[in-house]
Amino acid sequence: MAEPNPEGGPAIDEALVDRRVLVIEDDPTVLEVVCRYLRAAGFIVDAERDGIAGLRQADRVPPDLVVADRMLPGIDGVEVCRRIRAQRPVPVIMLTALGSTEDRIEGLEAGADDYIAKPFSPRELVLRVQSVLRRSLPDFAPEAPFDLGAFHLETADRVVTKHGEELSLSVREFELLAFLLKHPHQVFSREQLLKAVWKWDFGDLSTVTVHVRRLREKIEDDPTEPQHLTTVWGVGYRFAA
């Protein structure tokens, strides 16, 4: 249940209180504001100002979510994201320069679950953090497990296996694959997937394109010749077992 935020920011979600967020940002003003808003929303916040220190902090005290700037001293945010995601499936939100599509795509390809462009509203960032974290929580009334071809979906545990082997998926990748598994043989445009999976009414469609590409690398025997997650040219994507 959500409670009013005494700081006037987004409502406090009791299910997310005391979740740990690691913020890696070299701009001291941005860092201070972001941390203040996140703490007001009930999060435990760790803060670092360069990529190397951020990675060390993530090793010392594993966070539930990471917010990392794209441009960081030492090691940039993309490499930080790659290294963190290689260790554990922690959600990552990347902060990127306004209008820099290539930066956003590179961050998504590195494993980021979401991105937000600078300059941004701290309130919007908190809402994005809450949204991504909610998706990482198990459902209180989960759907029954089901099978589709070689794939087995455990909604409660947020696990998908193929031929009995668990797939290593980010939060967004799991949500995308789970949605497609539940709607086999249906064609979805990128706009429809953005709304159904990301809950965005509008946004950069390359977000969907990048996640489809990453998902193919994990579920297809040959990602260059996909047999499950196929493209319907001029329309969108379709999943078949």
Side-chain angles (χ1 to χ4, degrees):
M1 184 175 66
E3 295 182 352
N5 188 326
E7 296 291 330
I12 298 172
D13 189 329
E14 291 182 355
L16 302 178
V17 168
D18 291 341
R19 293 275 170 168
R20 185 176 293 274
V21 177
L22 171 59
V23 182
I24 313 173
E25 167 63 63
D26 63 324
D27 185 315
T29 301
V30 174
L31 184 64
E32 189 276 330
V33 172
V34 167
C35 290
R36 175 158 49 86
Y37 269 74
L38 287 170
R39 290 184 178 118
F43 295 107
I44 298 171
V45 181
D46 297 316
E48 298 293 348
R49 293 181 58 178
D50 67 75
I52 295 174
L55 289 173
R56 288 173 179 165
Q57 176 61 29
D59 285 336
R60 282 194 301 267
V61 185
D64 295 300
L65 182 141
V66 175
V67 176
D69 188 16
R70 169 67 177 79
M71 299 300 295
L72 289 169
I75 298 176
D76 69 14
V78 172
E79 184 60 24
V80 168
C81 182
R82 285 197 185 99
R83 296 191 188 187
I84 288 177
R85 293 286 298 130
Q87 296 296 319
R88 59 184 70 89
V90 58
V92 177
I93 295 178
M94 189 80 69
L95 306 179
T96 67
L98 180 63
S100 180
T101 302
E102 289 304 315
D103 282 351
R104 294 199 297 271
I105 291 176
E106 187 177 8
L108 292 167
E109 289 180 334
D113 295 272
D114 203 349
Y115 66 81
I116 185 168
K118 290 184 175 183
F120 58 86
S121 160
R123 187 175 186 276
E124 180 185 358
L125 176 59
V126 172
L127 290 170
R128 293 283 188 95
V129 169
Q130 290 174 333
S131 175
V132 172
L133 278 174
R134 285 190 198 105
R135 290 175 173 273
S136 68
L137 296 176
D139 296 328
F140 289 104
E143 300 174 13
F146 72 91
D147 298 283
L148 183 68
F151 297 90
H152 177 75
L153 173 65
E154 292 275 357
T155 307
D157 297 328
R158 302 185 68 82
V159 169
V160 181
T161 61
K162 179 185 178 185
H163 295 304
E165 294 189 11
E166 183 175 342
L167 301 174
S168 177
L169 304 174
S170 71
V171 173
R172 293 294 190 190
E173 290 166 354
F174 173 86
E175 293 290 341
L176 177 58
L177 181 55
F179 177 81
L180 293 169
L181 284 169
K182 295 172 186 176
H183 302 87
H185 310 298
Q186 297 184 42
V187 180
F188 294 97
S189 68
R190 293 189 299 171
E191 291 88 349
Q192 289 172 319
L193 290 173
L194 197 67
K195 186 168 185 177
V197 178
W198 279 261
K199 309 302 181 186
W200 297 352
D201 290 321
F202 58 89
D204 189 343
L205 297 180
S206 64
T207 300
V208 177
T209 306
V210 171
H211 279 78
V212 166
R213 185 187 311 147
R214 282 168 42 193
L215 200 52
R216 281 173 172 162
E217 291 172 355
K218 297 181 179 182
I219 68 173
E220 300 286 355
D221 294 331
D222 181 0
T224 63
E225 296 288 340
Q227 301 299 309
H228 301 296
L229 183 45
T230 58
T231 299
V232 180
W233 295 108
V235 183
Y237 302 103
R238 175 171 53 204
F239 188 88

mmCIF file with all atom_site columns, all heavy atoms in Angstrom, residues 212-231:
data_model
loop_
_atom_site.group_PDB
_atom_site.id
_atom_site.type_symbol
_atom_site.label_atom_id
_atom_site.label_alt_id
_atom_site.label_comp_id
_atom_site.label_asym_id
_atom_site.label_entity_id
_atom_site.label_seq_id
_atom_site.pdbx_PDB_ins_code
_atom_site.Cartn_x
_atom_site.Cartn_y
_atom_site.Cartn_z
_atom_site.occupancy
_atom_site.B_iso_or_equiv
_atom_site.pdbx_formal_charge
_atom_site.auth_seq_id
_atom_site.auth_comp_id
_atom_site.auth_asym_id
_atom_site.auth_atom_id
_atom_site.pdbx_PDB_model_num
ATOM 1   N N   . VAL A 1 212 ? 14.652 -7.235  -27.697 1.00 0.00 ? 212 VAL A N   1
ATOM 2   C CA  . VAL A 1 212 ? 14.382 -8.396  -28.554 1.00 0.00 ? 212 VAL A CA  1
ATOM 3   C C   . VAL A 1 212 ? 15.700 -9.038  -28.989 1.00 0.00 ? 212 VAL A C   1
ATOM 4   O O   . VAL A 1 212 ? 15.856 -10.269 -28.954 1.00 0.00 ? 212 VAL A O   1
ATOM 5   C CB  . VAL A 1 212 ? 13.539 -7.992  -29.771 1.00 0.00 ? 212 VAL A CB  1
ATOM 6   C CG1 . VAL A 1 212 ? 13.541 -9.093  -30.834 1.00 0.00 ? 212 VAL A CG1 1
ATOM 7   C CG2 . VAL A 1 212 ? 12.106 -7.677  -29.350 1.00 0.00 ? 212 VAL A CG2 1
ATOM 8   N N   . ARG A 1 213 ? 16.660 -8.206  -29.377 1.00 0.00 ? 213 ARG A N   1
ATOM 9   C CA  . ARG A 1 213 ? 17.963 -8.722  -29.801 1.00 0.00 ? 213 ARG A CA  1
ATOM 10  C C   . ARG A 1 213 ? 18.652 -9.476  -28.663 1.00 0.00 ? 213 ARG A C   1
ATOM 11  O O   . ARG A 1 213 ? 19.181 -10.574 -28.851 1.00 0.00 ? 213 ARG A O   1
ATOM 12  C CB  . ARG A 1 213 ? 18.838 -7.569  -30.284 1.00 0.00 ? 213 ARG A CB  1
ATOM 13  C CG  . ARG A 1 213 ? 20.197 -8.013  -30.865 1.00 0.00 ? 213 ARG A CG  1
ATOM 14  C CD  . ARG A 1 213 ? 21.067 -6.800  -31.152 1.00 0.00 ? 213 ARG A CD  1
ATOM 15  N NE  . ARG A 1 213 ? 20.341 -5.794  -31.889 1.00 0.00 ? 213 ARG A NE  1
ATOM 16  C CZ  . ARG A 1 213 ? 20.538 -4.499  -31.756 1.00 0.00 ? 213 ARG A CZ  1
ATOM 17  N NH1 . ARG A 1 213 ? 21.420 -4.032  -30.886 1.00 0.00 ? 213 ARG A NH1 1
ATOM 18  N NH2 . ARG A 1 213 ? 19.855 -3.638  -32.481 1.00 0.00 ? 213 ARG A NH2 1
ATOM 19  N N   . ARG A 1 214 ? 18.631 -8.888  -27.460 1.00 0.00 ? 214 ARG A N   1
ATOM 20  C CA  . ARG A 1 214 ? 19.269 -9.540  -26.311 1.00 0.00 ? 214 ARG A CA  1
ATOM 21  C C   . ARG A 1 214 ? 18.556 -10.834 -25.944 1.00 0.00 ? 214 ARG A C   1
ATOM 22  O O   . ARG A 1 214 ? 19.194 -11.834 -25.596 1.00 0.00 ? 214 ARG A O   1
ATOM 23  C CB  . ARG A 1 214 ? 19.256 -8.581  -25.112 1.00 0.00 ? 214 ARG A CB  1
ATOM 24  C CG  . ARG A 1 214 ? 20.320 -7.502  -25.180 1.00 0.00 ? 214 ARG A CG  1
ATOM 25  C CD  . ARG A 1 214 ? 20.118 -6.410  -24.174 1.00 0.00 ? 214 ARG A CD  1
ATOM 26  N NE  . ARG A 1 214 ? 19.724 -6.886  -22.862 1.00 0.00 ? 214 ARG A NE  1
ATOM 27  C CZ  . ARG A 1 214 ? 19.252 -6.106  -21.908 1.00 0.00 ? 214 ARG A CZ  1
ATOM 28  N NH1 . ARG A 1 214 ? 19.100 -4.808  -22.136 1.00 0.00 ? 214 ARG A NH1 1
ATOM 29  N NH2 . ARG A 1 214 ? 18.932 -6.589  -20.742 1.00 0.00 ? 214 ARG A NH2 1
ATOM 30  N N   . LEU A 1 215 ? 17.228 -10.823 -26.054 1.00 0.00 ? 215 LEU A N   1
ATOM 31  C CA  . LEU A 1 215 ? 16.468 -12.029 -25.731 1.00 0.00 ? 215 LEU A CA  1
ATOM 32  C C   . LEU A 1 215 ? 16.775 -13.141 -26.721 1.00 0.00 ? 215 LEU A C   1
ATOM 33  O O   . LEU A 1 215 ? 16.920 -14.316 -26.332 1.00 0.00 ? 215 LEU A O   1
ATOM 34  C CB  . LEU A 1 215 ? 14.975 -11.699 -25.734 1.00 0.00 ? 215 LEU A CB  1
ATOM 35  C CG  . LEU A 1 215 ? 14.042 -12.657 -24.989 1.00 0.00 ? 215 LEU A CG  1
ATOM 36  C CD1 . LEU A 1 215 ? 14.501 -12.914 -23.574 1.00 0.00 ? 215 LEU A CD1 1
ATOM 37  C CD2 . LEU A 1 215 ? 12.616 -12.095 -25.003 1.00 0.00 ? 215 LEU A CD2 1
ATOM 38  N N   . ARG A 1 216 ? 16.904 -12.799 -27.987 1.00 0.00 ? 216 ARG A N   1
ATOM 39  C CA  . ARG A 1 216 ? 17.241 -13.807 -28.992 1.00 0.00 ? 216 ARG A CA  1
ATOM 40  C C   . ARG A 1 216 ? 18.588 -14.465 -28.697 1.00 0.00 ? 216 ARG A C   1
ATOM 41  O O   . ARG A 1 216 ? 18.767 -15.671 -28.895 1.00 0.00 ? 216 ARG A O   1
ATOM 42  C CB  . ARG A 1 216 ? 17.276 -13.174 -30.381 1.00 0.00 ? 216 ARG A CB  1
ATOM 43  C CG  . ARG A 1 216 ? 15.908 -12.962 -30.993 1.00 0.00 ? 216 ARG A CG  1
ATOM 44  C CD  . ARG A 1 216 ? 15.998 -12.180 -32.276 1.00 0.00 ? 216 ARG A CD  1
ATOM 45  N NE  . ARG A 1 216 ? 14.718 -12.136 -32.973 1.00 0.00 ? 216 ARG A NE  1
ATOM 46  C CZ  . ARG A 1 216 ? 14.417 -11.266 -33.923 1.00 0.00 ? 216 ARG A CZ  1
ATOM 47  N NH1 . ARG A 1 216 ? 15.319 -10.357 -34.296 1.00 0.00 ? 216 ARG A NH1 1
ATOM 48  N NH2 . ARG A 1 216 ? 13.231 -11.290 -34.505 1.00 0.00 ? 216 ARG A NH2 1
ATOM 49  N N   . GLU A 1 217 ? 19.530 -13.680 -28.193 1.00 0.00 ? 217 GLU A N   1
ATOM 50  C CA  . GLU A 1 217 ? 20.852 -14.228 -27.876 1.00 0.00 ? 217 GLU A CA  1
ATOM 51  C C   . GLU A 1 217 ? 20.779 -15.271 -26.764 1.00 0.00 ? 217 GLU A C   1
ATOM 52  O O   . GLU A 1 217 ? 21.665 -16.123 -26.647 1.00 0.00 ? 217 GLU A O   1
ATOM 53  C CB  . GLU A 1 217 ? 21.799 -13.098 -27.481 1.00 0.00 ? 217 GLU A CB  1
ATOM 54  C CG  . GLU A 1 217 ? 22.158 -12.171 -28.640 1.00 0.00 ? 217 GLU A CG  1
ATOM 55  C CD  . GLU A 1 217 ? 22.940 -10.950 -28.191 1.00 0.00 ? 217 GLU A CD  1
ATOM 56  O OE1 . GLU A 1 217 ? 23.119 -10.789 -26.956 1.00 0.00 ? 217 GLU A OE1 1
ATOM 57  O OE2 . GLU A 1 217 ? 23.374 -10.166 -29.059 1.00 0.00 ? 217 GLU A OE2 1
ATOM 58  N N   . LYS A 1 218 ? 19.716 -15.233 -25.972 1.00 0.00 ? 218 LYS A N   1
ATOM 59  C CA  . LYS A 1 218 ? 19.595 -16.144 -24.836 1.00 0.00 ? 218 LYS A CA  1
ATOM 60  C C   . LYS A 1 218 ? 18.654 -17.321 -25.084 1.00 0.00 ? 218 LYS A C   1
ATOM 61  O O   . LYS A 1 218 ? 18.757 -18.344 -24.417 1.00 0.00 ? 218 LYS A O   1
ATOM 62  C CB  . LYS A 1 218 ? 19.124 -15.363 -23.602 1.00 0.00 ? 218 LYS A CB  1
ATOM 63  C CG  . LYS A 1 218 ? 20.130 -14.304 -23.166 1.00 0.00 ? 218 LYS A CG  1
ATOM 64  C CD  . LYS A 1 218 ? 19.672 -13.554 -21.927 1.00 0.00 ? 218 LYS A CD  1
ATOM 65  C CE  . LYS A 1 218 ? 20.721 -12.536 -21.509 1.00 0.00 ? 218 LYS A CE  1
ATOM 66  N NZ  . LYS A 1 218 ? 20.358 -11.803 -20.268 1.00 0.00 ? 218 LYS A NZ  1
ATOM 67  N N   . ILE A 1 219 ? 17.736 -17.183 -26.045 1.00 0.00 ? 219 ILE A N   1
ATOM 68  C CA  . ILE A 1 219 ? 16.757 -18.257 -26.234 1.00 0.00 ? 219 ILE A CA  1
ATOM 69  C C   . ILE A 1 219 ? 16.903 -18.996 -27.561 1.00 0.00 ? 219 ILE A C   1
ATOM 70  O O   . ILE A 1 219 ? 16.370 -20.096 -27.710 1.00 0.00 ? 219 ILE A O   1
ATOM 71  C CB  . ILE A 1 219 ? 15.315 -17.723 -26.124 1.00 0.00 ? 219 ILE A CB  1
ATOM 72  C CG1 . ILE A 1 219 ? 14.966 -16.807 -27.307 1.00 0.00 ? 219 ILE A CG1 1
ATOM 73  C CG2 . ILE A 1 219 ? 15.085 -17.021 -24.785 1.00 0.00 ? 219 ILE A CG2 1
ATOM 74  C CD1 . ILE A 1 219 ? 13.496 -16.396 -27.343 1.00 0.00 ? 219 ILE A CD1 1
ATOM 75  N N   . GLU A 1 220 ? 17.614 -18.397 -28.513 1.00 0.00 ? 220 GLU A N   1
ATOM 76  C CA  . GLU A 1 220 ? 17.718 -19.012 -29.837 1.00 0.00 ? 220 GLU A CA  1
ATOM 77  C C   . GLU A 1 220 ? 18.998 -19.827 -29.959 1.00 0.00 ? 220 GLU A C   1
ATOM 78  O O   . GLU A 1 220 ? 20.045 -19.455 -29.425 1.00 0.00 ? 220 GLU A O   1
ATOM 79  C CB  . GLU A 1 220 ? 17.714 -17.927 -30.924 1.00 0.00 ? 220 GLU A CB  1
ATOM 80  C CG  . GLU A 1 220 ? 16.472 -17.051 -30.945 1.00 0.00 ? 220 GLU A CG  1
ATOM 81  C CD  . GLU A 1 220 ? 15.254 -17.759 -31.516 1.00 0.00 ? 220 GLU A CD  1
ATOM 82  O OE1 . GLU A 1 220 ? 15.384 -18.910 -31.983 1.00 0.00 ? 220 GLU A OE1 1
ATOM 83  O OE2 . GLU A 1 220 ? 14.169 -17.154 -31.490 1.00 0.00 ? 220 GLU A OE2 1
ATOM 84  N N   . ASP A 1 221 ? 18.921 -20.939 -30.675 1.00 0.00 ? 221 ASP A N   1
ATOM 85  C CA  . ASP A 1 221 ? 20.126 -21.713 -30.977 1.00 0.00 ? 221 ASP A CA  1
ATOM 86  C C   . ASP A 1 221 ? 21.055 -20.913 -31.873 1.00 0.00 ? 221 ASP A C   1
ATOM 87  O O   . ASP A 1 221 ? 22.272 -20.948 -31.721 1.00 0.00 ? 221 ASP A O   1
ATOM 88  C CB  . ASP A 1 221 ? 19.745 -23.042 -31.643 1.00 0.00 ? 221 ASP A CB  1
ATOM 89  C CG  . ASP A 1 221 ? 18.975 -23.961 -30.700 1.00 0.00 ? 221 ASP A CG  1
ATOM 90  O OD1 . ASP A 1 221 ? 19.186 -23.867 -29.469 1.00 0.00 ? 221 ASP A OD1 1
ATOM 91  O OD2 . ASP A 1 221 ? 18.154 -24.752 -31.196 1.00 0.00 ? 221 ASP A OD2 1
ATOM 92  N N   . ASP A 1 222 ? 20.464 -20.180 -32.823 1.00 0.00 ? 222 ASP A N   1
ATOM 93  C CA  . ASP A 1 222 ? 21.222 -19.295 -33.708 1.00 0.00 ? 222 ASP A CA  1
ATOM 94  C C   . ASP A 1 222 ? 20.484 -17.958 -33.767 1.00 0.00 ? 222 ASP A C   1
ATOM 95  O O   . ASP A 1 222 ? 19.477 -17.834 -34.481 1.00 0.00 ? 222 ASP A O   1
ATOM 96  C CB  . ASP A 1 222 ? 21.332 -19.897 -35.108 1.00 0.00 ? 222 ASP A CB  1
ATOM 97  C CG  . ASP A 1 222 ? 22.133 -19.007 -36.065 1.00 0.00 ? 222 ASP A CG  1
ATOM 98  O OD1 . ASP A 1 222 ? 22.602 -17.937 -35.626 1.00 0.00 ? 222 ASP A OD1 1
ATOM 99  O OD2 . ASP A 1 222 ? 22.277 -19.396 -37.236 1.00 0.00 ? 222 ASP A OD2 1
ATOM 100 N N   . PRO A 1 223 ? 20.941 -16.963 -33.008 1.00 0.00 ? 223 PRO A N   1
ATOM 101 C CA  . PRO A 1 223 ? 20.224 -15.680 -32.968 1.00 0.00 ? 223 PRO A CA  1
ATOM 102 C C   . PRO A 1 223 ? 20.102 -14.992 -34.324 1.00 0.00 ? 223 PRO A C   1
ATOM 103 O O   . PRO A 1 223 ? 19.208 -14.175 -34.512 1.00 0.00 ? 223 PRO A O   1
ATOM 104 C CB  . PRO A 1 223 ? 21.080 -14.837 -32.006 1.00 0.00 ? 223 PRO A CB  1
ATOM 105 C CG  . PRO A 1 223 ? 21.831 -15.832 -31.178 1.00 0.00 ? 223 PRO A CG  1
ATOM 106 C CD  . PRO A 1 223 ? 22.097 -16.987 -32.099 1.00 0.00 ? 223 PRO A CD  1
ATOM 107 N N   . THR A 1 224 ? 20.994 -15.323 -35.266 1.00 0.00 ? 224 THR A N   1
ATOM 108 C CA  . THR A 1 224 ? 20.906 -14.702 -36.590 1.00 0.00 ? 224 THR A CA  1
ATOM 109 C C   . THR A 1 224 ? 19.806 -15.324 -37.442 1.00 0.00 ? 224 THR A C   1
ATOM 110 O O   . THR A 1 224 ? 19.393 -14.734 -38.442 1.00 0.00 ? 224 THR A O   1
ATOM 111 C CB  . THR A 1 224 ? 22.249 -14.815 -37.339 1.00 0.00 ? 224 THR A CB  1
ATOM 112 O OG1 . THR A 1 224 ? 22.555 -16.197 -37.564 1.00 0.00 ? 224 THR A OG1 1
ATOM 113 C CG2 . THR A 1 224 ? 23.376 -14.181 -36.524 1.00 0.00 ? 224 THR A CG2 1
ATOM 114 N N   . GLU A 1 225 ? 19.353 -16.516 -37.042 1.00 0.00 ? 225 GLU A N   1
ATOM 115 C CA  . GLU A 1 225 ? 18.254 -17.193 -37.730 1.00 0.00 ? 225 GLU A CA  1
ATOM 116 C C   . GLU A 1 225 ? 17.229 -17.628 -36.681 1.00 0.00 ? 225 GLU A C   1
ATOM 117 O O   . GLU A 1 225 ? 17.064 -18.816 -36.404 1.00 0.00 ? 225 GLU A O   1
ATOM 118 C CB  . GLU A 1 225 ? 18.767 -18.409 -38.519 1.00 0.00 ? 225 GLU A CB  1
ATOM 119 C CG  . GLU A 1 225 ? 19.710 -18.086 -39.655 1.00 0.00 ? 225 GLU A CG  1
ATOM 120 C CD  . GLU A 1 225 ? 18.979 -17.426 -40.820 1.00 0.00 ? 225 GLU A CD  1
ATOM 121 O OE1 . GLU A 1 225 ? 17.748 -17.575 -40.899 1.00 0.00 ? 225 GLU A OE1 1
ATOM 122 O OE2 . GLU A 1 225 ? 19.655 -16.767 -41.635 1.00 0.00 ? 225 GLU A OE2 1
ATOM 123 N N   . PRO A 1 226 ? 16.534 -16.669 -36.069 1.00 0.00 ? 226 PRO A N   1
ATOM 124 C CA  . PRO A 1 226 ? 15.634 -17.004 -34.956 1.00 0.00 ? 226 PRO A CA  1
ATOM 125 C C   . PRO A 1 226 ? 14.484 -17.912 -35.385 1.00 0.00 ? 226 PRO A C   1
ATOM 126 O O   . PRO A 1 226 ? 13.866 -17.697 -36.437 1.00 0.00 ? 226 PRO A O   1
ATOM 127 C CB  . PRO A 1 226 ? 15.126 -15.637 -34.496 1.00 0.00 ? 226 PRO A CB  1
ATOM 128 C CG  . PRO A 1 226 ? 15.294 -14.740 -35.672 1.00 0.00 ? 226 PRO A CG  1
ATOM 129 C CD  . PRO A 1 226 ? 16.522 -15.228 -36.380 1.00 0.00 ? 226 PRO A CD  1
ATOM 130 N N   . GLN A 1 227 ? 14.209 -18.901 -34.546 1.00 0.00 ? 227 GLN A N   1
ATOM 131 C CA  . GLN A 1 227 ? 13.105 -19.826 -34.803 1.00 0.00 ? 227 GLN A CA  1
ATOM 132 C C   . GLN A 1 227 ? 11.928 -19.567 -33.862 1.00 0.00 ? 227 GLN A C   1
ATOM 133 O O   . GLN A 1 227 ? 10.807 -20.001 -34.146 1.00 0.00 ? 227 GLN A O   1
ATOM 134 C CB  . GLN A 1 227 ? 13.587 -21.274 -34.634 1.00 0.00 ? 227 GLN A CB  1
ATOM 135 C CG  . GLN A 1 227 ? 14.725 -21.658 -35.551 1.00 0.00 ? 227 GLN A CG  1
ATOM 136 C CD  . GLN A 1 227 ? 14.340 -21.539 -37.006 1.00 0.00 ? 227 GLN A CD  1
ATOM 137 O OE1 . GLN A 1 227 ? 13.310 -22.061 -37.422 1.00 0.00 ? 227 GLN A OE1 1
ATOM 138 N NE2 . GLN A 1 227 ? 15.158 -20.832 -37.782 1.00 0.00 ? 227 GLN A NE2 1
ATOM 139 N N   . HIS A 1 228 ? 12.192 -18.941 -32.733 1.00 0.00 ? 228 HIS A N   1
ATOM 140 C CA  . HIS A 1 228 ? 11.133 -18.683 -31.743 1.00 0.00 ? 228 HIS A CA  1
ATOM 141 C C   . HIS A 1 228 ? 10.625 -17.242 -31.820 1.00 0.00 ? 228 HIS A C   1
ATOM 142 O O   . HIS A 1 228 ? 9.457  -17.014 -32.066 1.00 0.00 ? 228 HIS A O   1
ATOM 143 C CB  . HIS A 1 228 ? 11.654 -18.980 -30.335 1.00 0.00 ? 228 HIS A CB  1
ATOM 144 C CG  . HIS A 1 228 ? 12.115 -20.377 -30.137 1.00 0.00 ? 228 HIS A CG  1
ATOM 145 N ND1 . HIS A 1 228 ? 11.267 -21.463 -30.220 1.00 0.00 ? 228 HIS A ND1 1
ATOM 146 C CD2 . HIS A 1 228 ? 13.350 -20.882 -29.874 1.00 0.00 ? 228 HIS A CD2 1
ATOM 147 C CE1 . HIS A 1 228 ? 11.951 -22.577 -30.005 1.00 0.00 ? 228 HIS A CE1 1
ATOM 148 N NE2 . HIS A 1 228 ? 13.216 -22.253 -29.797 1.00 0.00 ? 228 HIS A NE2 1
ATOM 149 N N   . LEU A 1 229 ? 11.503 -16.287 -31.614 1.00 0.00 ? 229 LEU A N   1
ATOM 150 C CA  . LEU A 1 229 ? 11.127 -14.873 -31.616 1.00 0.00 ? 229 LEU A CA  1
ATOM 151 C C   . LEU A 1 229 ? 11.445 -14.304 -32.993 1.00 0.00 ? 229 LEU A C   1
ATOM 152 O O   . LEU A 1 229 ? 12.566 -13.859 -33.261 1.00 0.00 ? 229 LEU A O   1
ATOM 153 C CB  . LEU A 1 229 ? 11.876 -14.130 -30.511 1.00 0.00 ? 229 LEU A CB  1
ATOM 154 C CG  . LEU A 1 229 ? 11.572 -12.639 -30.309 1.00 0.00 ? 229 LEU A CG  1
ATOM 155 C CD1 . LEU A 1 229 ? 10.085 -12.352 -30.339 1.00 0.00 ? 229 LEU A CD1 1
ATOM 156 C CD2 . LEU A 1 229 ? 12.198 -12.153 -29.024 1.00 0.00 ? 229 LEU A CD2 1
ATOM 157 N N   . THR A 1 230 ? 10.460 -14.329 -33.856 1.00 0.00 ? 230 THR A N   1
ATOM 158 C CA  . THR A 1 230 ? 10.675 -13.967 -35.256 1.00 0.00 ? 230 THR A CA  1
ATOM 159 C C   . THR A 1 230 ? 10.126 -12.582 -35.559 1.00 0.00 ? 230 THR A C   1
ATOM 160 O O   . THR A 1 230 ? 9.248  -12.064 -34.868 1.00 0.00 ? 230 THR A O   1
ATOM 161 C CB  . THR A 1 230 ? 10.014 -14.994 -36.200 1.00 0.00 ? 230 THR A CB  1
ATOM 162 O OG1 . THR A 1 230 ? 8.617  -15.065 -35.903 1.00 0.00 ? 230 THR A OG1 1
ATOM 163 C CG2 . THR A 1 230 ? 10.636 -16.358 -36.013 1.00 0.00 ? 230 THR A CG2 1
ATOM 164 N N   . THR A 1 231 ? 10.657 -11.984 -36.618 1.00 0.00 ? 231 THR A N   1
ATOM 165 C CA  . THR A 1 231 ? 10.211 -10.670 -37.076 1.00 0.00 ? 231 THR A CA  1
ATOM 166 C C   . THR A 1 231 ? 9.180  -10.830 -38.181 1.00 0.00 ? 231 THR A C   1
ATOM 167 O O   . THR A 1 231 ? 9.389  -11.602 -39.126 1.00 0.00 ? 231 THR A O   1
ATOM 168 C CB  . THR A 1 231 ? 11.401 -9.846  -37.607 1.00 0.00 ? 231 THR A CB  1
ATOM 169 O OG1 . THR A 1 231 ? 12.348 -9.654  -36.560 1.00 0.00 ? 231 THR A OG1 1
ATOM 170 C CG2 . THR A 1 231 ? 10.933 -8.494  -38.119 1.00 0.00 ? 231 THR A CG2 1
#
